Amino acid sequence: MVNPFKGPSFLRTFGLVLLAIAVLFTADTFLANAERAESLAGAARLFQQGQALMQRGDNAQAIERIQDALAIERGNRDYLRMLAQAQFAAGKTSDAESTLTELLQSNPTDGLASLVMGRVLVKEGRFAEAISYLHRAIYGDWKEDAAGNRLRARFELIDLLAGRNSKQELLAELIAVQDHIPPDLERKRGRLFLLAGSPARAAEVFRGILQDAPEDADAIAGLGEAEFARGNYREAERHFQTALRLAPDNQAARQRLDLCNEVLTLDPTMRGIGPTERFRRSRRLVELTVGETTQCIGQNASAEVQGLLDEAGKALKAHVSAVQQSEASESNLDLAEELWQARKQECKSPPATDGPLGLVMARLAQ
Amino acid sequence: MFLYALRVAGKTKTRGVRSTHKMDSNNHQPSWIGKLNRSLERLRQSENQLSLVLSLLIGALVGLVVVAFILLTGRLASRMYPAGGSGWRRILVPVLGSLSTGYLLSRYFPFARGSGIPQTKFAIFINDGRIMFRTVLGKFFCCSASLASGIALGREGPSVQVGAGIASVVARNLGLTPKQIKALVPAGCAAALAAAFNTPIAAVLFSLEEIMGDLHAEVLGSVVLSSATSWMVLHLVLGDDPLFHVSGYRLLHPSEFAIYAALGVVGGLGSVCFVKLLLGLRAWFMRLPKRTVWFQPVAGGLTVGLIGYFVPEVLGVGYNHVEKVLNGDMVLKMVVLFAVLKIVATAVCYASGNAGGIFGPALFIGAMMGAAVGGVAQALFPGSTAGPGAYALVGMGTAFAGIVRTPLTSVIMIFEITRDYTIIVPLMISNLIAFFISQKLQPLPIYEALAFQEGVHLPTAHSRAHTERVQVGQAMRPAPVVLSPDMLIASALHRIKDLALDAWPVADAGGLCGMIRSSELEQASIDGASYQNVAAILRPGARLGGSKDERVAHVHPDHSLSLALERMGAGGLKVLPVVSRANVRQLIGIITLDDILGAYGVAKRPSSMEQGN
């Protein structure tokens, strides 16, 4: 059992042990806090180095620095976000995805992480998931400048939708954002409305711009595009001419102007043309649709199409007197339309809708 | 106030508990001092309570000391050879560090050299649990300086010695008996390891498996308490970070078991290489003249410095690099290089007499070997194997099992370090293979071998198990004569007159009644009681019955011979009855002192055996 020892020794030892525990606890806490503070400062330094390297485009080095910072301050969300961005920038999309998954698992409403995840998924071609993450970014939490970041995220989504020609979703996003767009992005909004298939809204936007800056060549060209999309080729022609006068190097406007001219010289429904010109244009339309159909279908035409082609051949060879020109014009237009529809049904490749023939036929169908 | 209380309490203690109470009322001292006195006195008198309280206190104290050790070493290291520092600094610092600590160790702290595990075992098994305070101080400061200067050794072994030393110093200052001191030392070890590795369960297992060599040791309670307390202290000060952060790994394909088995073979062979190299170098250093002892550690410092000049990863404990490899952030060629260089650096540093342990290096080497095997496996079977990090993780346990030879501890330790259960089965397979290979090729475990080189023969778990394996059933014999309780003493004497046994079993129809000594029968005859029954002189202590007084010393066939010897010694007998466990009155045979000696090959069995047969 217990040795016969002196009481004071027993008590003193107990006291000393307790005292030592108290002293050591204080010293350890001090040392640990100092260590922690140093570690955090070291991590922050490495992180800043990583940021600087990233800005210089040295993403591989930046990743290493940020990973070193993360090894010290594990779980720091800012470091993880930056790491994901560096990984994405370095083309390491799977690494970036894994980093972002970790971030989003712990906080699914992280706006920046969702945005970068969206970008990663776009790069991987997973558009549906990307759109979902961009939505999360729009409605997620942002540490600073939430409104600005959300708007930027929405524009990334809009760009993605525009790139994928998702007109309805694009229009929905544009309508949602239209009251919050800064003035410098108005022109882009107009173009996007055009892409979304809403030329009326686009024209409205461009007119708004032109009220403040009547000599804005881009806005005038945009307005031309809007009018063109609405089928107002005469108006469009006028705007493109104005735009080219202000900015003669605008090749897109020039091409559009040429197209306008072609449509305007082909369209038999154009106001102000006489019966003879109307008849000439209707014959030209029949010629073009026959050419398009023959080129597409070749020798394998069905009996119905062959019948239409034969009929068109006769119509083109037929001599029409001036009195019969109006009636013949209507007949030619009907024949051209039927041929166009038959070509659409029997040809594997769809007809070009942005060429003069396609545009005129679309106008006739209206 | 606290010191005043101690002083007053001290004075009262010398006058005894009763006088303390008197002083409370007569001298107007605060009553809580009296209460404290009485509590401490009660505590002192109760061995169980004292053990409980001391386990908690030692756990907390050792935990705090080890945390200080970790923090101090880390801070010193970051200043001595900072990341990105010049190459010359990486040579100079280890050399100067080993030179200064070598001198201090040789001149002032000779018992603080090396790992600390053999020294702790020496203290427990040979030195009554005695570790000097000077050794604790020396170990703490010399190891801190040595590890911080980049010496490629670990901090866990020294922590164990520091923990054991603190437990020993506290226990001795409290005036405890050697038995009590020896019981507290493993608690100190467990507390130290729990704080050093952040692995409380593995710390308990290590204390029992390696230090005590017995998983059923009586000290289990105090070891668990102390380990848990130390772990809590560690968390309180340093937070809840595991030693290594590891991604969640899993088995991708059942065929991976074969690769893990291959890792076991590689780990086992690597461990044997490391141990043999270390022991060979140690033997070589020990053959050098005594006067060079203080200078020898410089060999380790210079080796690690030169290696560190080209490969800085080899410097120090290297846990940050282990973490990198665990997360699969290193290339195959590099991990192979690191493993080889670390084996060389650690072996030279340890063998040359630097202060530091081999736990940390074992984990480092294992992680690198594992990552190498994993890297090769992934190159050969892409898509059906886990990443190199998973193999590095298992490799750590494998090397630990192969080098330190504690397979159970290593499994639990890796589990606790990573907190990942999914890797346990591959880990067990790999560990056991490494353990068996290591045991086959290097029969003497490293700590016993190191002690052996110092001329100290520590008991090994194997030797203890061997001793325990010889059982009573292998040495017992049938009783040559069984006396009846109704038999006359004269007749009994007649029956035993040609036989030279110290005592005889007495049995009736119901079975064994007790044992009677030859001397008792002879004395009864001299006293004129020859015509009385044997039962009349059968002492209660020699009877086999229900009451506490009627419990004759006996053994069962599955008892160890050492226990039989113990019981003979306690009862002052040279003969014990061997009885059935199912029915203690069923006499199976007897065992004599000569039988036991004969079983160990010390003495021949007496002729009475043949007579008996």
Side-chain angles (χ1 to χ4, degrees):
Chain A
M1 293 297 286
V2 182
N3 258 358
F5 52 83
K6 287 179 183 174
S9 168
F10 185 82
L11 288 172
R12 197 174 297 129
T13 306
F14 250 105
L16 282 172
V17 167
L18 291 173
L19 192 65
I21 287 174
V23 170
L24 275 167
F25 184 77
T26 311
D28 280 359
T29 309
F30 171 76
L31 278 173
N33 286 339
E35 177 86 10
R36 207 166 288 139
E38 267 182 35
S39 296
L40 292 181
R45 205 166 38 247
L46 285 165
F47 177 66
Q48 280 162 5
Q49 287 173 6
Q51 271 183 317
L53 285 163
M54 219 177 132
Q55 278 164 3
R56 288 207 298 268
D58 191 352
N59 293 309
Q61 287 287 317
I63 290 170
E64 271 188 31
R65 291 284 195 288
I66 300 168
Q67 276 176 335
D68 287 345
L70 271 167
I72 299 169
E73 201 184 342
R74 202 164 287 279
N76 183 310
R77 297 189 67 84
D78 288 337
Y79 296 1
L80 279 169
R81 286 191 201 104
M82 189 57 74
L83 175 66
Q85 284 174 290
Q87 286 167 332
F88 175 66
K92 296 180 174 179
T93 48
S94 60
D95 290 350
E97 190 182 343
S98 142
T99 307
L100 291 164
T101 305
E102 185 188 333
L103 267 169
L104 289 166
Q105 268 172 356
S106 57
N107 179 17
T109 62
D110 188 325
L112 180 56
S114 300
L115 178 65
V116 182
M117 184 65 126
R119 288 173 187 164
V120 168
L121 294 170
V122 167
K123 196 152 191 179
E124 288 180 347
R126 292 150 64 187
F127 297 107
E129 291 169 76
I131 289 168
S132 159
Y133 275 102
L134 288 174
H135 274 296
R136 286 200 215 176
I138 292 165
Y139 297 105
D141 300 331
W142 291 84
K143 228 174 139 181
E144 51 197 26
D145 187 19
N149 282 314
R150 287 193 181 116
L151 194 63
R152 276 186 281 279
R154 199 183 284 277
F155 268 103
E156 285 207 25
L157 174 61
I158 285 168
D159 285 342
L160 174 63
L161 294 170
R164 294 195 40 82
N165 208 21
S166 305
K167 290 188 173 176
Q168 283 187 337
E169 286 170 279
L170 176 60
L171 186 59
E173 291 301 328
L174 285 170
I175 291 168
V177 86
Q178 66 182 351
D179 296 335
H180 309 287
I181 288 188
D184 58 320
L185 290 175
E186 276 293 292
R187 210 172 293 145
K188 183 174 182 179
R189 186 162 73 102
R191 297 257 171 220
L192 287 167
F193 270 128
L194 277 174
L195 273 173
S198 181
R201 285 194 175 89
E204 200 180 316
V205 171
F206 288 122
R207 282 201 189 92
I209 297 168
L210 289 171
Q211 273 181 357
D212 298 332
E215 299 287 290
D216 187 329
D218 274 352
I220 296 169
L223 187 56
E225 288 282 0
E227 295 299 354
F228 185 92
R230 292 166 80 184
N232 300 333
Y233 297 111
R234 189 73 70 194
E235 282 289 300
E237 184 188 37
R238 191 169 57 79
H239 289 309
F240 285 129
Q241 282 168 344
T242 314
L244 281 168
R245 186 170 45 77
L246 292 168
D249 295 336
N250 189 340
Q251 291 304 317
R254 188 167 300 283
Q255 283 173 2
R256 276 299 197 213
L257 179 62
D258 292 345
L259 188 58
C260 273
N261 287 332
E262 283 184 61
V263 172
L264 287 170
T265 53
L266 185 62
D267 188 355
T269 62
M270 195 63 64
R271 285 180 192 169
I273 58 170
T276 307
E277 178 60 17
R278 183 174 158 79
F279 174 68
R280 191 191 65 75
R281 290 186 182 196
S282 70
R283 275 180 70 116
R284 177 71 186 141
L285 268 183
V286 173
E287 269 176 19
L288 288 171
T289 47
V290 167
E292 175 82 22
T293 309
T294 311
Q295 190 187 2
C296 174
I297 298 176
Q299 301 301 315
N300 306 321
S302 66
E304 187 190 350
V305 174
Q306 192 57 53
L308 286 170
L309 286 171
D310 292 345
E311 196 181 334
K314 283 177 194 168
L316 289 172
K317 284 176 189 167
H319 176 74
V320 179
S321 64
V323 182
Q324 291 172 317
Q325 275 180 343
S326 292
E327 194 180 335
S329 295
E330 290 303 320
S331 166
N332 281 346
L333 290 179
D334 288 345
L335 186 58
E337 267 201 88
E338 279 177 56
L339 266 171
W340 187 250
Q341 291 304 323
R343 182 243 174 266
K344 270 187 183 172
Q345 283 167 10
E346 296 209 3
C347 272
K348 285 176 187 170
S349 59
T353 51
D354 53 352
L357 177 63
L359 290 167
V360 173
M361 293 310 295
R363 195 172 164 83
L364 282 179
Q366 284 171 4
Chain B
M1 188 65 185
F2 182 71
L3 289 173
Y4 166 76
L6 280 179
R7 191 158 45 82
V8 173
K11 279 179 187 169
T12 37
K13 202 73 217 109
T14 52
R15 295 179 195 180
V17 180
R18 193 175 292 176
S19 63
T20 304
H21 188 68
K22 200 174 173 183
M23 276 179 74
D24 286 344
S25 53
N26 293 350
N27 295 357
H28 308 291
Q29 284 170 347
S31 62
W32 66 270
I33 294 175
K35 282 181 186 169
L36 177 68
N37 257 334
R38 284 192 293 280
S39 300
L40 285 172
E41 180 58 28
R42 273 199 300 276
L43 178 66
R44 208 180 66 175
Q45 297 300 338
S46 164
E47 198 170 354
N48 286 339
Q49 281 181 23
L50 185 64
S51 164
L52 181 85
V53 170
L54 285 179
S55 300
L56 290 171
L57 284 179
I58 285 170
L61 185 60
V62 171
L64 287 165
V65 169
V66 172
V67 168
F69 181 57
I70 293 169
L71 289 170
L72 195 67
T73 309
R75 287 179 74 79
L76 279 175
S78 64
R79 278 153 184 76
M80 284 192 179
Y81 58 98
S86 75
W88 286 110
R89 194 167 178 165
R90 292 201 293 273
I91 296 181
L92 204 62
V93 170
V95 170
L96 290 177
S98 56
L99 185 66
S100 53
T101 55
Y103 177 76
L104 287 172
L105 287 168
S106 160
R107 180 83 175 81
Y108 300 105
F109 314 110
F111 297 106
R113 279 167 169 267
S115 147
I117 306 290
Q119 292 86 339
T120 305
K121 290 175 81 170
F122 176 85
I124 292 175
F125 293 110
I126 297 164
N127 209 20
D128 283 339
R130 195 177 180 83
I131 298 174
M132 302 301 290
F133 186 59
R134 193 163 78 161
T135 303
V136 176
L137 280 181
K139 196 83 185 176
F140 186 96
F141 289 109
C142 288
C143 264
S144 289
S146 173
L147 300 181
S149 67
I151 294 298
L153 293 173
R155 66 191 182 205
E156 293 77 16
S159 301
V160 167
Q161 196 185 2
V162 168
I166 289 171
S168 170
V169 170
V170 170
R172 276 185 285 123
N173 276 287
L174 286 170
L176 303 189
T177 62
K179 190 185 165 201
Q180 288 173 310
I181 297 170
K182 282 166 76 174
L184 277 175
V185 170
C189 298
L193 207 57
F197 261 142
N198 195 359
T199 54
I201 306 173
V204 170
L205 280 176
F206 182 81
S207 293
L208 300 179
E209 193 179 24
E210 174 59 33
I211 304 287
M212 301 300 292
D214 180 6
L215 284 171
H216 307 286
E218 290 171 6
V219 295
L220 178 65
S222 57
V223 165
V224 169
L225 260 182
S226 159
S227 172
T229 313
S230 166
W231 183 78
M232 282 191 287
V233 164
L234 174 79
H235 276 231
L236 200 63
V237 180
L238 292 184
D240 187 31
D241 267 356
L243 188 57
F244 301 117
H245 293 84
V246 186
S247 330
Y249 289 117
R250 62 194 174 88
L251 204 67
L252 290 185
H253 193 271
S255 62
E256 272 199 279
F257 279 120
I259 304 169
Y260 283 112
L263 172 58
V265 174
V266 172
L269 293 174
S271 304
V272 171
C273 285
F274 171 71
V275 173
K276 285 197 180 292
L277 179 66
L278 191 151
L279 292 174
L281 284 168
R282 181 88 195 108
W284 185 79
F285 275 107
M286 287 178 79
R287 282 197 296 273
L288 294 176
K290 277 271 183 196
R291 62 178 182 280
T292 62
V293 166
W294 69 275
F295 192 70
Q296 285 176 13
V298 175
L302 190 62
T303 305
V304 82
L306 288 172
I307 295 174
Y309 182 82
F310 299 102
V311 187
E313 286 81 358
V314 174
L315 290 167
V317 185
Y319 281 159
N320 49 343
H321 305 297
V322 173
E323 180 146 326
K324 272 189 183 172
V325 82
L326 286 176
N327 289 295
D329 292 341
M330 280 193 189
V331 291
L332 182 62
K333 279 180 192 169
M334 293 310 287
V335 292
V336 173
L337 180 72
F338 292 164
V340 172
L341 292 179
K342 191 77 173 184
I343 286 176
V344 173
T346 303
V348 179
C349 284
Y350 191 98
S352 58
N354 282 288
I358 55 171
F359 278 25
L363 294 184
F364 185 104
I365 294 163
M368 298 303 156
M369 286 196 295
V373 171
V376 171
Q378 207 172 40
L380 293 177
F381 315 106
S384 56
T385 58
Y391 289 88
L393 182 61
V394 174
M396 286 202 301
T398 305
F400 198 86
I403 294 170
V404 184
R405 292 272 190 86
T406 51
L408 191 58
T409 304
S410 69
V411 169
I412 299 297
M413 181 188 288
I414 300 301
F415 171 54
E416 280 190 288
I417 285 175
T418 60
R419 302 177 189 176
D420 187 357
Y421 182 76
T422 52
I423 214 77
I424 284 287
V425 176
L427 183 65
M428 290 197 305
I429 291 171
S430 193
N431 273 14
L432 279 178
I433 291 172
F435 176 74
F436 285 126
I437 288 175
S438 172
Q439 200 175 38
K440 188 81 182 164
L441 301 179
Q442 168 63 38
L444 202 56
I446 186 164
Y447 293 129
E448 277 74 23
L450 286 167
F452 200 86
Q453 287 185 332
E454 302 279 352
V456 176
H457 290 206
L458 290 172
T460 63
H462 178 73
S463 66
R464 276 193 293 268
H466 180 74
T467 311
E468 294 293 316
R469 263 207 303 275
V470 189
Q471 292 176 340
V472 167
Q474 294 166 267
M476 60 176 263
R477 57 166 121 164
V481 168
V482 177
L483 301 177
S484 163
D486 302 329
M487 188 183 266
L488 295 177
I489 290 169
S491 305
L493 280 169
H494 179 71
R495 285 208 59 187
I496 63 169
K497 69 178 179 184
D498 297 329
L499 302 171
L501 275 185
D502 181 43
W504 302 93
V506 180
D508 59 13
L512 184 69
C513 302
M515 293 291 283
I516 191 157
R517 292 172 191 264
S518 299
S519 58
E520 287 172 330
L521 290 170
E522 282 159 8
Q523 187 61 48
S525 175
I526 292 166
D527 293 345
S530 303
Y531 293 97
Q532 281 188 3
N533 289 338
V534 170
I537 59 165
L538 200 59
R539 287 177 296 110
R543 280 178 205 273
L544 202 66
S547 77
K548 201 176 175 182
D549 294 335
E550 294 180 337
R551 293 184 71 175
V552 65
H554 65 274
V555 286
H556 299 293
D558 60 344
H559 272 149
S560 66
L561 291 186
S562 57
L563 182 77
L565 271 177
E566 219 173 89
R567 290 194 176 170
M568 280 180 185
L573 293 165
K574 289 182 181 171
V575 183
L576 288 176
V578 181
V579 295
S580 162
R581 277 196 184 274
N583 176 10
V584 288
R585 295 199 68 184
Q586 186 189 337
L587 181 71
I588 298 173
I590 58 166
I591 188 159
T592 68
L593 182 60
D594 288 340
D595 293 335
I596 294 171
L597 294 174
Y600 285 122
V602 177
K604 281 189 176 180
R605 290 201 167 196
S607 56
S608 58
M609 187 176 163
E610 282 78 37
Q611 286 173 17
N613 288 339

